[in-house]
Coordinates of all heavy atoms in Angstrom, one line a residue:
R28 N 180.2 70.9 61.4 CA 180.8 71.3 62.7 C 180.5 70.3 63.8 O 179.4 69.8 63.9 CB 180.2 72.7 63.1 CG 180.8 73.9 62.4 CD 180.5 75.2 63.1 NE 181.0 76.3 62.3 CZ 182.2 76.7 62.2 NH1 183.1 76.1 63.0 NH2 182.6 77.7 61.5
L125 N 195.3 93.1 45.7 CA 195.5 94.2 44.8 C 196.4 95.3 45.4 O 197.2 96.0 44.6 CB 194.2 94.8 44.4 CG 193.3 94.0 43.5 CD1 191.9 94.6 43.4 CD2 193.9 93.9 42.1
G147 N 203.2 104.6 42.2 CA 203.2 103.2 42.6 C 202.5 102.3 41.6 O 202.6 102.5 40.4
E153 N 192.7 93.0 38.1 CA 192.8 91.5 38.0 C 191.4 91.0 37.6 O 190.4 91.6 37.8 CB 193.1 90.9 39.4 CG 194.5 91.2 39.9 CD 195.6 90.5 39.1 OE1 195.3 89.6 38.3 OE2 196.8 91.0 39.2
I173 N 172.0 69.1 51.1 CA 172.8 69.7 52.2 C 172.9 68.7 53.4 O 171.8 68.2 53.8 CB 172.1 71.0 52.6 CG1 172.2 72.0 51.5 CG2 172.8 71.6 53.9 CD1 171.6 73.3 51.8

Side-chain angles (χ1 to χ4, degrees):
R28 286 197 184 278
L125 288 170
E153 296 289 344
I173 295 179

